[in-house]
Amino acid sequence: DRQETRLAELDARLSTFDSKLHRLPRVDGLDNAFSLAALDDAHTASQHGTGICDCRTHRAGYDKGFFIRPDCPAATPFELKVIGRIQFRHTAFARRAVSYFNRATSTTVPIEERNDFEVERGRITFSGFVHDPALQYYINIDMDTDDNHHAVAQDFWFNYKFNDFVDLYVGKAFVPGSREWVDGALTMRLGDRSMSTTFFRPDRSVGIWSIGKLCHDLNYRIMVGNGVASSDLTPSSIDDRLVVAGTTWWEPLAEFGKGYSDLEWHDQLAVRIGASGTFTRLEAQANGLPFTESIFVKLSDGVSLVETDALAPGVRVSQFDFSLLAVDVAAKFRGFSFNGEFYARWLDDFTADGPIPFTELYDDGFYFECGYMLCPGSFELAGRISTVDGVFGDAWEYVGGVNLFRNGHNNKLTLDVTYLDGSPVNNSGANFRRGDRGVMFRTAWQVAF
């Protein structure tokens, strides 16, 4: 009798919940968080309101990450998800020149060979929601063997998702001035980002930004932040001029998916077209010297714009405008995929401590990648070309490689060979060193869980 009574109670609860579920309003464009909130309201009204709900407070499990998740977010709106990632690399470089000439210092700098192992990205992320399923958080801790083995807070923010059109963030993240930069490192096609992206892209910043849809297939991300490269700088190291950056992308034919490799094997052509823009004014300190933030901006031969002798002997630029435009396109179809981005950058309105022969400097460049899944979902042949071109010279990058996928990008082995014809950028993440001419061999094993 007790079992029959219990079954009757459960059946009544199910009928009540099902009735409320069918009466929920259906509004196009609302996010899943609102649907979840509506379901929880129904659950609360039908079960918690009667005092007969026996759901557990939280449960733990794995769903593309380890989670602690509430059974009833309306009653206990707190969730935690933990994801880990390690990218282990071997890098070797065989030089084809023994030195390069540093124009600013008038010195000859040796080019070193290399042969070493490193953990380029050892990351753990915490995400979820607090107080309200729409109030979300994200914390990314990064550990890097070529960064003194320090653990640093790479990205972290709170965001409130009002709907599909407005998702408002506050915290630290990418300045959205380049598609390859904003897309993140997890789903890169080759060992790391291209030379042109590494040269032109902005860095991270603390600020406020929004992500959402302008219409069904048209997306946007816009940010106002402290500066073009100010993520780890104190207020005394940056000026009081904010950076404004934004990106938009359109997927008119089919859902493009994450990453550039066609792991999904699209039977229908998927195309993504986008554009990004960044603008800021970098000003000088009260003593006339440039702020630390300005050192980030390099000329096409790798010389920092604010370095003495960069534009004229004995002269130093202390203030300037920075404008960057990037246009990108990508496609996937039956194992074949390509992506590319064109960059155009203007530096102008200079303030210097002496005469300089330029009123404006224009640099441009691009990268183009392509790949084909020789074995669907598991083996890809890939290649890339990129360049940086400006008043002070040009540089080229040529890459060929293969990807072996075990669980998509979450368990991936990448082997690539790169020929560098003069690098204008120094970046340990992408293994580029200023002035390098030669062949670089990279083997990278990435595991995410």
Side-chain angles (χ1 to χ4, degrees):
D1 291 340
R2 293 172 61 184
Q3 289 181 343
E4 291 178 357
T5 300
R6 181 59 175 164
L7 288 172
E9 289 177 354
L10 291 174
D11 185 62
R13 286 164 52 189
L14 180 61
S15 298
T16 302
F17 181 69
D18 185 64
S19 175
K20 291 181 178 291
L21 176 63
H22 285 288
R23 293 201 303 270
L24 288 175
R26 304 295 180 182
V27 181
D28 291 337
L30 289 182
D31 180 72
N32 289 336
F34 281 78
S35 301
L36 177 61
L39 290 173
D40 288 332
D41 287 343
H43 175 77
T44 301
S46 64
Q47 299 186 35
H48 286 280
T50 64
I52 61 174
C53 178
D54 62 352
C55 65
R56 296 172 309 209
T57 302
H58 284 79
R59 56 193 171 90
Y62 183 86
D63 178 16
K64 298 179 180 179
F66 300 97
F67 67 81
I68 300 174
R69 183 173 294 161
D71 283 332
C72 181
T76 52
F78 299 93
E79 178 182 284
L80 170 66
K81 189 171 186 178
V82 182
I83 299 173
R85 174 159 66 108
I86 296 174
Q87 188 184 81
F88 178 79
R89 279 192 205 167
H90 173 262
T91 304
F93 180 77
R95 64 187 182 186
R96 292 294 180 267
V98 296
S99 64
Y100 73 92
F101 181 72
N102 186 327
R103 178 178 53 82
T105 61
S106 298
T107 57
T108 299
V109 181
I111 296 175
E112 303 290 345
E113 296 194 332
R114 65 179 295 184
N115 181 28
D116 55 80
F117 296 104
E118 62 176 324
V119 175
E120 179 48 45
R121 294 176 177 90
R123 295 184 178 176
I124 184 167
T125 64
F126 305 90
S127 62
F129 57 81
V130 291
H131 306 303
D132 183 331
L135 180 57
Q136 301 161 6
Y137 67 91
Y138 180 89
I139 304 171
N140 180 2
I141 307 299
D142 178 59
M143 295 155 282
D144 210 326
T145 56
D146 57 14
D147 193 21
N148 297 318
H149 296 256
H150 292 163
V152 298
Q154 192 84 315
D155 306 283
F156 45 94
W157 61 72
F158 280 111
N159 65 290
Y160 192 88
K161 189 154 191 176
F162 293 92
N163 50 45
D164 279 353
F165 305 101
V166 179
D167 192 355
L168 188 64
Y169 293 71
V170 292
K172 171 187 171 185
F174 297 113
V175 176
S178 158
R179 178 76 51 232
E180 191 181 28
W181 174 236
V182 171
D183 276 352
L186 175 66
T187 58
M188 294 181 300
R189 187 192 300 275
L190 291 160
D192 216 287
R193 296 181 178 93
S194 69
M195 181 185 68
S196 58
T197 297
T198 307
F199 177 83
F200 284 106
R201 65 155 176 84
D203 203 344
R204 289 175 166 87
S205 182
V206 178
I208 180 170
W209 65 100
S210 179
I211 302 175
K213 290 182 177 294
L214 296 173
C215 60
H216 179 64
D217 296 318
L218 186 62
N219 307 275
Y220 77 91
R221 176 170 177 165
I222 187 168
M223 180 183 199
V224 177
N226 284 342
V228 70
S230 61
S231 63
D232 301 321
L233 301 179
T234 62
S236 62
S237 300
I238 60 178
D239 60 30
D240 60 358
R241 301 293 292 269
L242 302 178
V243 64
V244 178
T247 184
T248 183
W249 63 100
W250 182 41
E251 300 178 10
L253 302 180
E255 185 176 350
F256 188 80
K258 292 194 67 175
Y260 296 108
S261 303
D262 190 17
L263 288 167
E264 307 91 345
W265 195 269
H266 284 72
D267 285 323
Q268 180 181 353
L269 177 65
V271 175
R272 187 179 69 187
I273 303 169
S276 308
T278 307
F279 176 78
T280 189
R281 170 74 178 171
L282 291 112
E283 295 193 335
Q285 304 177 56
N287 60 10
L289 295 177
F291 280 99
T292 305
E293 177 188 6
S294 301
I295 298 173
F296 177 81
V297 180
K298 302 296 193 296
L299 303 175
S300 61
D301 60 353
V303 174
S304 174
L305 174 60
V306 296
E307 189 174 349
T308 301
D309 300 323
L311 297 185
V315 179
R316 185 173 194 172
V317 172
S318 58
Q319 299 185 142
F320 59 96
D321 284 353
F322 175 98
S323 304
L324 175 67
L325 173 66
V327 179
D328 63 278
V329 62
K332 297 178 180 178
F333 183 65
R334 294 185 178 178
F336 174 76
S337 58
F338 73 82
N339 58 290
E341 195 161 9
F342 171 80
Y343 297 99
R345 188 188 70 179
W346 295 266
L347 306 173
D348 55 20
D349 199 8
F350 301 116
T351 298
D353 57 8
I356 54 176
F358 302 97
T359 58
E360 178 185 272
L361 290 171
Y362 171 77
D363 305 283
D364 58 35
F366 71 88
Y367 80 87
F368 179 82
E369 291 181 349
C370 62
Y372 183 71
M373 302 296 299
L374 295 176
C375 184
S378 62
F379 183 73
E380 180 185 34
L381 184 65
R384 176 171 72 209
I385 181 173
S386 80
T387 186
V388 174
D389 187 24
V391 174
F392 298 100
D394 59 358
W396 291 84
E397 173 200 27
Y398 308 90
V399 191
V402 297
N403 288 312
L404 302 174
F405 299 96
R406 181 63 180 88
N407 299 104
H409 291 283
N410 293 327
N411 188 358
K412 175 179 69 173
L413 181 67
T414 300
L415 300 94
D416 60 35
V417 180
T418 302
Y419 180 75
L420 290 171
D421 186 13
S423 170
V425 64
N426 194 66
N427 185 284
S428 62
N431 300 126
F432 297 127
R433 300 178 304 184
R434 181 183 169 190
D436 272 357
R437 294 181 185 274
V439 182
M440 177 170 62
F441 304 87
R442 286 183 300 196
T443 303
W445 184 21
Q446 175 171 275
V447 176
F449 53 89

PDB file of all heavy atoms in Angstrom, residues 6-31:
ATOM      1  N   ARG A   6       3.075   5.941  -2.817  1.00  0.00           N
ATOM      2  CA  ARG A   6       4.241   6.696  -3.283  1.00  0.00           C
ATOM      3  C   ARG A   6       4.223   6.851  -4.798  1.00  0.00           C
ATOM      4  O   ARG A   6       4.500   7.932  -5.342  1.00  0.00           O
ATOM      5  CB  ARG A   6       5.518   5.967  -2.852  1.00  0.00           C
ATOM      6  CG  ARG A   6       6.807   6.662  -3.253  1.00  0.00           C
ATOM      7  CD  ARG A   6       6.882   8.040  -2.685  1.00  0.00           C
ATOM      8  NE  ARG A   6       8.175   8.665  -2.979  1.00  0.00           N
ATOM      9  CZ  ARG A   6       8.405   9.965  -2.877  1.00  0.00           C
ATOM     10  NH1 ARG A   6       7.434  10.783  -2.480  1.00  0.00           N
ATOM     11  NH2 ARG A   6       9.592  10.450  -3.159  1.00  0.00           N
ATOM     12  N   LEU A   7       3.876   5.795  -5.538  1.00  0.00           N
ATOM     13  CA  LEU A   7       3.794   5.862  -6.990  1.00  0.00           C
ATOM     14  C   LEU A   7       2.729   6.853  -7.428  1.00  0.00           C
ATOM     15  O   LEU A   7       2.893   7.592  -8.410  1.00  0.00           O
ATOM     16  CB  LEU A   7       3.497   4.471  -7.570  1.00  0.00           C
ATOM     17  CG  LEU A   7       4.655   3.466  -7.523  1.00  0.00           C
ATOM     18  CD1 LEU A   7       4.168   2.082  -7.932  1.00  0.00           C
ATOM     19  CD2 LEU A   7       5.770   3.929  -8.456  1.00  0.00           C
ATOM     20  N   ALA A   8       1.618   6.872  -6.698  1.00  0.00           N
ATOM     21  CA  ALA A   8       0.557   7.814  -7.039  1.00  0.00           C
ATOM     22  C   ALA A   8       1.023   9.248  -6.844  1.00  0.00           C
ATOM     23  O   ALA A   8       0.708  10.140  -7.640  1.00  0.00           O
ATOM     24  CB  ALA A   8      -0.680   7.528  -6.172  1.00  0.00           C
ATOM     25  N   GLU A   9       1.788   9.500  -5.752  1.00  0.00           N
ATOM     26  CA  GLU A   9       2.315  10.838  -5.504  1.00  0.00           C
ATOM     27  C   GLU A   9       3.274  11.258  -6.620  1.00  0.00           C
ATOM     28  O   GLU A   9       3.214  12.398  -7.117  1.00  0.00           O
ATOM     29  CB  GLU A   9       3.037  10.883  -4.156  1.00  0.00           C
ATOM     30  CG  GLU A   9       2.119  10.797  -2.953  1.00  0.00           C
ATOM     31  CD  GLU A   9       2.910  10.777  -1.649  1.00  0.00           C
ATOM     32  OE1 GLU A   9       4.164  10.724  -1.732  1.00  0.00           O
ATOM     33  OE2 GLU A   9       2.300  10.830  -0.567  1.00  0.00           O
ATOM     34  N   LEU A  10       4.160  10.345  -7.000  1.00  0.00           N
ATOM     35  CA  LEU A  10       5.122  10.654  -8.064  1.00  0.00           C
ATOM     36  C   LEU A  10       4.413  10.928  -9.381  1.00  0.00           C
ATOM     37  O   LEU A  10       4.786  11.833 -10.141  1.00  0.00           O
ATOM     38  CB  LEU A  10       6.120   9.500  -8.220  1.00  0.00           C
ATOM     39  CG  LEU A  10       7.097   9.301  -7.062  1.00  0.00           C
ATOM     40  CD1 LEU A  10       7.924   8.030  -7.275  1.00  0.00           C
ATOM     41  CD2 LEU A  10       8.037  10.501  -6.960  1.00  0.00           C
ATOM     42  N   ASP A  11       3.365  10.131  -9.667  1.00  0.00           N
ATOM     43  CA  ASP A  11       2.627  10.325 -10.908  1.00  0.00           C
ATOM     44  C   ASP A  11       1.920  11.684 -10.909  1.00  0.00           C
ATOM     45  O   ASP A  11       1.885  12.384 -11.930  1.00  0.00           O
ATOM     46  CB  ASP A  11       1.605   9.195 -11.073  1.00  0.00           C
ATOM     47  CG  ASP A  11       0.887   9.267 -12.412  1.00  0.00           C
ATOM     48  OD1 ASP A  11       1.585   9.158 -13.442  1.00  0.00           O
ATOM     49  OD2 ASP A  11      -0.342   9.437 -12.427  1.00  0.00           O
ATOM     50  N   ALA A  12       1.393  12.088  -9.747  1.00  0.00           N
ATOM     51  CA  ALA A  12       0.724  13.386  -9.651  1.00  0.00           C
ATOM     52  C   ALA A  12       1.714  14.524  -9.840  1.00  0.00           C
ATOM     53  O   ALA A  12       1.423  15.523 -10.512  1.00  0.00           O
ATOM     54  CB  ALA A  12       0.018  13.506  -8.290  1.00  0.00           C
ATOM     55  N   ARG A  13       2.884  14.385  -9.233  1.00  0.00           N
ATOM     56  CA  ARG A  13       3.922  15.411  -9.391  1.00  0.00           C
ATOM     57  C   ARG A  13       4.351  15.539 -10.851  1.00  0.00           C
ATOM     58  O   ARG A  13       4.537  16.644 -11.381  1.00  0.00           O
ATOM     59  CB  ARG A  13       5.120  15.075  -8.515  1.00  0.00           C
ATOM     60  CG  ARG A  13       4.877  15.315  -7.040  1.00  0.00           C
ATOM     61  CD  ARG A  13       5.914  14.630  -6.178  1.00  0.00           C
ATOM     62  NE  ARG A  13       7.264  14.963  -6.592  1.00  0.00           N
ATOM     63  CZ  ARG A  13       8.369  14.373  -6.113  1.00  0.00           C
ATOM     64  NH1 ARG A  13       8.259  13.435  -5.191  1.00  0.00           N
ATOM     65  NH2 ARG A  13       9.548  14.733  -6.534  1.00  0.00           N
ATOM     66  N   LEU A  14       4.521  14.401 -11.521  1.00  0.00           N
ATOM     67  CA  LEU A  14       4.937  14.418 -12.920  1.00  0.00           C
ATOM     68  C   LEU A  14       3.874  15.078 -13.796  1.00  0.00           C
ATOM     69  O   LEU A  14       4.189  15.867 -14.696  1.00  0.00           O
ATOM     70  CB  LEU A  14       5.203  12.984 -13.392  1.00  0.00           C
ATOM     71  CG  LEU A  14       5.662  12.824 -14.848  1.00  0.00           C
ATOM     72  CD1 LEU A  14       6.987  13.566 -15.062  1.00  0.00           C
ATOM     73  CD2 LEU A  14       5.817  11.356 -15.203  1.00  0.00           C
ATOM     74  N   SER A  15       2.627  14.796 -13.526  1.00  0.00           N
ATOM     75  CA  SER A  15       1.552  15.389 -14.316  1.00  0.00           C
ATOM     76  C   SER A  15       1.500  16.899 -14.116  1.00  0.00           C
ATOM     77  O   SER A  15       1.308  17.668 -15.066  1.00  0.00           O
ATOM     78  CB  SER A  15       0.204  14.765 -13.920  1.00  0.00           C
ATOM     79  OG  SER A  15       0.195  13.380 -14.199  1.00  0.00           O
ATOM     80  N   THR A  16       1.670  17.327 -12.859  1.00  0.00           N
ATOM     81  CA  THR A  16       1.654  18.764 -12.567  1.00  0.00           C
ATOM     82  C   THR A  16       2.791  19.479 -13.255  1.00  0.00           C
ATOM     83  O   THR A  16       2.623  20.533 -13.873  1.00  0.00           O
ATOM     84  CB  THR A  16       1.751  18.999 -11.045  1.00  0.00           C
ATOM     85  OG1 THR A  16       0.669  18.341 -10.405  1.00  0.00           O
ATOM     86  CG2 THR A  16       1.700  20.499 -10.725  1.00  0.00           C
ATOM     87  N   PHE A  17       3.988  18.893 -13.170  1.00  0.00           N
ATOM     88  CA  PHE A  17       5.163  19.511 -13.805  1.00  0.00           C
ATOM     89  C   PHE A  17       5.005  19.544 -15.320  1.00  0.00           C
ATOM     90  O   PHE A  17       5.315  20.532 -15.973  1.00  0.00           O
ATOM     91  CB  PHE A  17       6.414  18.732 -13.410  1.00  0.00           C
ATOM     92  CG  PHE A  17       7.676  19.301 -13.990  1.00  0.00           C
ATOM     93  CD1 PHE A  17       8.172  20.528 -13.570  1.00  0.00           C
ATOM     94  CD2 PHE A  17       8.366  18.611 -14.979  1.00  0.00           C
ATOM     95  CE1 PHE A  17       9.327  21.063 -14.094  1.00  0.00           C
ATOM     96  CE2 PHE A  17       9.527  19.148 -15.528  1.00  0.00           C
ATOM     97  CZ  PHE A  17      10.002  20.367 -15.066  1.00  0.00           C
ATOM     98  N   ASP A  18       4.497  18.454 -15.907  1.00  0.00           N
ATOM     99  CA  ASP A  18       4.325  18.398 -17.354  1.00  0.00           C
ATOM    100  C   ASP A  18       3.316  19.445 -17.820  1.00  0.00           C
ATOM    101  O   ASP A  18       3.489  20.089 -18.854  1.00  0.00           O
ATOM    102  CB  ASP A  18       3.858  16.993 -17.753  1.00  0.00           C
ATOM    103  CG  ASP A  18       3.766  16.834 -19.260  1.00  0.00           C
ATOM    104  OD1 ASP A  18       4.816  16.916 -19.919  1.00  0.00           O
ATOM    105  OD2 ASP A  18       2.654  16.639 -19.766  1.00  0.00           O
ATOM    106  N   SER A  19       2.257  19.639 -17.010  1.00  0.00           N
ATOM    107  CA  SER A  19       1.261  20.647 -17.358  1.00  0.00           C
ATOM    108  C   SER A  19       1.852  22.042 -17.354  1.00  0.00           C
ATOM    109  O   SER A  19       1.629  22.847 -18.258  1.00  0.00           O
ATOM    110  CB  SER A  19       0.092  20.564 -16.370  1.00  0.00           C
ATOM    111  OG  SER A  19      -0.832  21.604 -16.610  1.00  0.00           O
ATOM    112  N   LYS A  20       2.662  22.341 -16.328  1.00  0.00           N
ATOM    113  CA  LYS A  20       3.297  23.657 -16.245  1.00  0.00           C
ATOM    114  C   LYS A  20       4.332  23.838 -17.352  1.00  0.00           C
ATOM    115  O   LYS A  20       4.513  24.936 -17.872  1.00  0.00           O
ATOM    116  CB  LYS A  20       3.943  23.844 -14.872  1.00  0.00           C
ATOM    117  CG  LYS A  20       2.926  23.974 -13.747  1.00  0.00           C
ATOM    118  CD  LYS A  20       3.618  24.194 -12.409  1.00  0.00           C
ATOM    119  CE  LYS A  20       2.579  24.381 -11.313  1.00  0.00           C
ATOM    120  NZ  LYS A  20       1.857  25.651 -11.471  1.00  0.00           N
ATOM    121  N   LEU A  21       5.032  22.769 -17.692  1.00  0.00           N
ATOM    122  CA  LEU A  21       6.034  22.851 -18.753  1.00  0.00           C
ATOM    123  C   LEU A  21       5.393  23.251 -20.077  1.00  0.00           C
ATOM    124  O   LEU A  21       5.902  24.108 -20.797  1.00  0.00           O
ATOM    125  CB  LEU A  21       6.748  21.499 -18.892  1.00  0.00           C
ATOM    126  CG  LEU A  21       7.774  21.381 -20.020  1.00  0.00           C
ATOM    127  CD1 LEU A  21       8.922  22.363 -19.787  1.00  0.00           C
ATOM    128  CD2 LEU A  21       8.303  19.958 -20.125  1.00  0.00           C
ATOM    129  N   HIS A  22       4.243  22.671 -20.384  1.00  0.00           N
ATOM    130  CA  HIS A  22       3.584  22.978 -21.657  1.00  0.00           C
ATOM    131  C   HIS A  22       2.977  24.369 -21.675  1.00  0.00           C
ATOM    132  O   HIS A  22       2.722  24.916 -22.734  1.00  0.00           O
ATOM    133  CB  HIS A  22       2.498  21.935 -21.953  1.00  0.00           C
ATOM    134  CG  HIS A  22       3.054  20.628 -22.411  1.00  0.00           C
ATOM    135  ND1 HIS A  22       3.623  20.454 -23.654  1.00  0.00           N
ATOM    136  CD2 HIS A  22       3.169  19.424 -21.778  1.00  0.00           C
ATOM    137  CE1 HIS A  22       4.049  19.199 -23.781  1.00  0.00           C
ATOM    138  NE2 HIS A  22       3.785  18.558 -22.655  1.00  0.00           N
ATOM    139  N   ARG A  23       2.774  24.966 -20.482  1.00  0.00           N
ATOM    140  CA  ARG A  23       2.220  26.308 -20.436  1.00  0.00           C
ATOM    141  C   ARG A  23       3.294  27.389 -20.414  1.00  0.00           C
ATOM    142  O   ARG A  23       2.973  28.573 -20.413  1.00  0.00           O
ATOM    143  CB  ARG A  23       1.343  26.469 -19.185  1.00  0.00           C
ATOM    144  CG  ARG A  23       0.080  25.629 -19.216  1.00  0.00           C
ATOM    145  CD  ARG A  23      -0.967  26.186 -18.270  1.00  0.00           C
ATOM    146  NE  ARG A  23      -0.493  26.279 -16.902  1.00  0.00           N
ATOM    147  CZ  ARG A  23      -0.618  25.307 -16.008  1.00  0.00           C
ATOM    148  NH1 ARG A  23      -1.186  24.172 -16.347  1.00  0.00           N
ATOM    149  NH2 ARG A  23      -0.183  25.477 -14.778  1.00  0.00           N
ATOM    150  N   LEU A  24       4.588  26.986 -20.404  1.00  0.00           N
ATOM    151  CA  LEU A  24       5.659  27.983 -20.397  1.00  0.00           C
ATOM    152  C   LEU A  24       5.653  28.757 -21.707  1.00  0.00           C
ATOM    153  O   LEU A  24       5.455  28.190 -22.772  1.00  0.00           O
ATOM    154  CB  LEU A  24       7.025  27.297 -20.229  1.00  0.00           C
ATOM    155  CG  LEU A  24       7.324  26.733 -18.842  1.00  0.00           C
ATOM    156  CD1 LEU A  24       8.647  25.991 -18.890  1.00  0.00           C
ATOM    157  CD2 LEU A  24       7.369  27.824 -17.800  1.00  0.00           C
ATOM    158  N   PRO A  25       5.889  30.080 -21.650  1.00  0.00           N
ATOM    159  CA  PRO A  25       5.900  30.871 -22.895  1.00  0.00           C
ATOM    160  C   PRO A  25       7.079  30.495 -23.771  1.00  0.00           C
ATOM    161  O   PRO A  25       8.173  30.240 -23.301  1.00  0.00           O
ATOM    162  CB  PRO A  25       6.022  32.320 -22.377  1.00  0.00           C
ATOM    163  CG  PRO A  25       6.658  32.188 -21.032  1.00  0.00           C
ATOM    164  CD  PRO A  25       6.144  30.897 -20.463  1.00  0.00           C
ATOM    165  N   ARG A  26       6.834  30.475 -25.080  1.00  0.00           N
ATOM    166  CA  ARG A  26       7.884  30.190 -26.047  1.00  0.00           C
ATOM    167  C   ARG A  26       8.228  31.496 -26.752  1.00  0.00           C
ATOM    168  O   ARG A  26       7.432  32.018 -27.545  1.00  0.00           O
ATOM    169  CB  ARG A  26       7.412  29.169 -27.081  1.00  0.00           C
ATOM    170  CG  ARG A  26       6.926  27.865 -26.462  1.00  0.00           C
ATOM    171  CD  ARG A  26       8.042  27.118 -25.758  1.00  0.00           C
ATOM    172  NE  ARG A  26       7.581  25.872 -25.178  1.00  0.00           N
ATOM    173  CZ  ARG A  26       8.334  25.051 -24.484  1.00  0.00           C
ATOM    174  NH1 ARG A  26       9.596  25.350 -24.280  1.00  0.00           N
ATOM    175  NH2 ARG A  26       7.833  23.943 -23.977  1.00  0.00           N
ATOM    176  N   VAL A  27       9.371  32.041 -26.444  1.00  0.00           N
ATOM    177  CA  VAL A  27       9.787  33.315 -27.028  1.00  0.00           C
ATOM    178  C   VAL A  27      11.072  33.095 -27.795  1.00  0.00           C
ATOM    179  O   VAL A  27      12.077  32.677 -27.227  1.00  0.00           O
ATOM    180  CB  VAL A  27      10.010  34.393 -25.942  1.00  0.00           C
ATOM    181  CG1 VAL A  27      10.419  35.709 -26.589  1.00  0.00           C
ATOM    182  CG2 VAL A  27       8.746  34.557 -25.116  1.00  0.00           C
ATOM    183  N   ASP A  28      11.062  33.345 -29.102  1.00  0.00           N
ATOM    184  CA  ASP A  28      12.252  33.155 -29.921  1.00  0.00           C
ATOM    185  C   ASP A  28      13.351  34.096 -29.459  1.00  0.00           C
ATOM    186  O   ASP A  28      13.108  35.247 -29.120  1.00  0.00           O
ATOM    187  CB  ASP A  28      11.949  33.439 -31.395  1.00  0.00           C
ATOM    188  CG  ASP A  28      11.027  32.378 -31.970  1.00  0.00           C
ATOM    189  OD1 ASP A  28      11.000  31.278 -31.396  1.00  0.00           O
ATOM    190  OD2 ASP A  28      10.358  32.670 -32.983  1.00  0.00           O
ATOM    191  N   GLY A  29      14.605  33.583 -29.462  1.00  0.00           N
ATOM    192  CA  GLY A  29      15.754  34.428 -29.150  1.00  0.00           C
ATOM    193  C   GLY A  29      16.170  34.385 -27.701  1.00  0.00           C
ATOM    194  O   GLY A  29      17.210  34.916 -27.345  1.00  0.00           O
ATOM    195  N   LEU A  30      15.334  33.783 -26.815  1.00  0.00           N
ATOM    196  CA  LEU A  30      15.745  33.733 -25.421  1.00  0.00           C
ATOM    197  C   LEU A  30      16.792  32.660 -25.223  1.00  0.00           C
ATOM    198  O   LEU A  30      16.790  31.626 -25.866  1.00  0.00           O
ATOM    199  CB  LEU A  30      14.538  33.445 -24.517  1.00  0.00           C
ATOM    200  CG  LEU A  30      13.531  34.599 -24.371  1.00  0.00           C
ATOM    201  CD1 LEU A  30      12.427  34.205 -23.407  1.00  0.00           C
ATOM    202  CD2 LEU A  30      14.222  35.864 -23.870  1.00  0.00           C
ATOM    203  N   ASP A  31      17.689  32.910 -24.269  1.00  0.00           N
ATOM    204  CA  ASP A  31      18.797  31.993 -24.032  1.00  0.00           C
ATOM    205  C   ASP A  31      18.363  30.805 -23.198  1.00  0.00           C
ATOM    206  O   ASP A  31      17.328  30.843 -22.524  1.00  0.00           O
ATOM    207  CB  ASP A  31      19.916  32.746 -23.307  1.00  0.00           C
ATOM    208  CG  ASP A  31      21.094  31.856 -23.029  1.00  0.00           C
ATOM    209  OD1 ASP A  31      21.800  31.509 -23.985  1.00  0.00           O
ATOM    210  OD2 ASP A  31      21.286  31.499 -21.863  1.00  0.00           O
TER     211      ASP A  31
END
